[in-house]
Amino acid sequence: MKINKSIKTNSYAIYGLGLSGVSTLKFLKKKKVKKIFTWDDKKQSKIKKNINLFKKALKEVDYIVISPGINIKKTRFRSILVKNKKKIITDLDLFYMQKLQIKSIVVTGTNGKSTTCKLIQHVLRTNKMDAKLGGNIGKPVLDLKIKKNSIIIIEASSFQLSYSKCIKPSAAIILNITKDHLDWHGTLKNYRNSKFNIFSNQDQKDFALLRDIDHIKKFKEKSFRSMLIKIPMNTSIKKFGKYITNNYLLNKYNLENVAFAYKLSNIFRIKKNIIFKSFNTFKGLPHRNEIFYKKRDITFINDSKATSFDAAKHALKNNKNIFWILGGLPKLGDKFKLQNIKNNIIKSYIIGKNINYFKKQIKKTIQYKSSFTIEKALKDIIKDLLLLKQKQATVLLSPASASYDQFRDFTERGNQFKKITLRYARKFL
């Protein structure tokens, strides 16, 4: 299907009225689009008349703008959406359909997207560039206030990229690809292909940055029309350690993010001293390996954003004497490989509504206790710290699972952990 990039003359059905859906609606109204139809499963009436009107709209409009996370195969409009899949776009497509004469950077990957986006923005701003950040982090991309000299940094999820058709970043980055969201994509191949959609419209003037050589091979290097830049698989402290004094960045997990930010800064011709000045003044994001409290030699770390084992293992590798809080809504196909890190863990405390699942994953490798809630887990940990007379320890919330069984999102989970920690740790330790 050929894309008509004249936004004003098209008609649209917006499916989903969360942040991006509402942002899309405002954007289209501002563009004076005459025909806009909307639907939200949670917010709108289930009256048959309304449903039928939206079904009709889905068939007749030029474009269907779908919100991230909506799986077209699991909705009441499944048959219509599948038949009209070529018409489905996202707010990212609308952004690029404007043909703005600005530089844009799109970052995706299984882990590290938000940190890398913020790190890139920090480097560019330190170099006095007008770097705006949006997409899956911060504001929806259509809400960004753009100037002629703006550089737009977009965090893109696999959900958005799966449907996107017009996305064309000046620099496209895939940080890594591991098993995630398979309940949505069905297979790792589908998940990987959605990520690689980030490069589909690039040309010779654009850049593609990747580190996962196996996935590059599967995509075939000759498929890239843009300039392909390979980031070394294992970025060591030796490469950056003598220049970086920011301890937050000096671990294997964040050094990979640093490698991408460094290479991108080279593309923008930023001086080396400015790059490392930026790295050393960068403050990490909350809920991502966040050290938020210390008492004596006991460190409390909030890593609530770790929603899979692959994400959690970085904190488990980089800390010792760990009292580990895990549990929640497990990711489909996730497997816990603890052999190389089990000696870092003293005991684990399982929370959430899927206790038996996590027991099966860890019971043959490390000690565990079923705590069910964060509050009970912290009480159990403090009791064990006192009983074992543990002088040095790391109390780590790195759930290795999604939060939706007990919390609205990982942010609420992390904030509750910090709040309860400050209440109990100050009193009893």
Side-chain angles (χ1 to χ4, degrees), residues 302-314:
N302 167 29
D303 194 34
S304 181
K305 184 63 172 65
T307 57
S308 67
F309 176 72
D310 190 67
K313 72 182 180 183
H314 299 286

Side-chain angles (χ1 to χ4, degrees), residues 178-301:
T178 57
K179 287 183 180 179
D180 201 9
H181 303 304
L182 297 191
D183 54 336
W184 198 95
H185 292 280
T187 65
L188 179 60
K189 182 180 178 180
N190 291 340
Y191 175 60
R192 183 177 63 241
N193 288 345
S194 74
K195 296 289 189 185
F196 274 89
N197 202 23
I198 199 174
F199 307 118
S200 58
N201 296 312
Q202 286 191 301
D203 57 36
Q204 297 173 4
K205 296 178 183 178
D206 302 320
F207 296 88
L209 286 73
L210 304 97
R211 74 168 189 96
D212 196 326
I213 304 303
D214 289 337
H215 288 296
I216 293 176
K217 287 178 180 176
K218 287 173 183 175
F219 189 70
K220 297 180 182 179
E221 290 191 29
K222 63 183 180 182
S223 301
F224 290 91
R225 290 190 294 274
S226 49
M227 187 178 296
L228 177 60
I229 298 174
K230 298 177 185 178
I231 306 298
M233 286 284 286
N234 296 306
T235 304
S236 66
I237 289 178
K238 288 181 181 179
K239 182 173 176 63
F240 293 112
K242 62 181 178 181
Y243 304 108
I244 297 176
T245 57
N246 186 345
N247 287 329
Y248 179 80
L249 297 177
L250 288 176
N251 60 60
K252 183 179 181 297
Y253 183 41
N254 276 327
L255 279 171
E256 290 172 0
N257 301 332
V258 164
F260 279 95
Y262 182 79
K263 185 59 70 174
L264 190 75
S265 301
N266 291 159
I267 292 170
F268 280 87
R269 298 179 181 178
I270 299 173
K271 292 180 180 179
K272 188 174 180 179
N273 66 314
I274 297 292
I275 298 171
F276 287 108
K277 178 184 176 182
S278 306
F279 289 166
N280 289 326
T281 56
F282 177 70
K283 293 182 180 179
L285 278 68
H287 314 295
R288 298 158 176 86
N289 205 28
E290 176 191 9
I291 298 172
F292 67 94
Y293 184 66
K294 285 186 177 182
K295 189 164 185 179
R296 301 186 185 92
D297 286 326
I298 299 173
T299 302
F300 291 82
I301 300 177

Side-chain angles (χ1 to χ4, degrees), residues 76 116 142 169 194 233 244 255 324 329 331 337 366 369:
R76 68 168 70 228
T116 304
L142 295 174
S194 74
M233 286 284 286
I244 297 176
L255 279 171
W324 179 27
L329 193 64
K331 292 290 181 74
K337 297 177 181 179
I366 57 175
K369 182 177 177 62

Side-chain angles (χ1 to χ4, degrees), residues 109-135:
T110 306
N111 299 306
K113 296 186 292 296
S114 296
T115 297
T116 304
C117 285
K118 290 292 287 187
L119 186 58
I120 290 169
Q121 183 188 38
H122 185 64
V123 174
L124 296 179
R125 284 186 169 178
T126 303
N127 200 49
K128 303 188 185 307
M129 297 181 181
D130 183 43
K132 310 278 188 182
L133 178 58

Side-chain angles (χ1 to χ4, degrees), residues 309 316 322-324 326 336 338-339 341-350 358-359 361-369:
F309 176 72
L316 295 170
I322 298 170
F323 291 77
W324 179 27
L326 75 156
F336 287 44
L338 295 165
Q339 291 303 320
I341 50 180
K342 64 181 181 180
N343 292 333
N344 292 352
I345 305 165
I346 293 176
K347 193 172 179 179
S348 60
Y349 304 80
I350 306 172
F358 292 97
K359 278 184 184 178
Q361 292 276 6
I362 68 174
K363 67 180 181 181
K364 293 181 180 178
T365 314
I366 57 175
Q367 289 188 55
Y368 69 88
K369 182 177 177 62

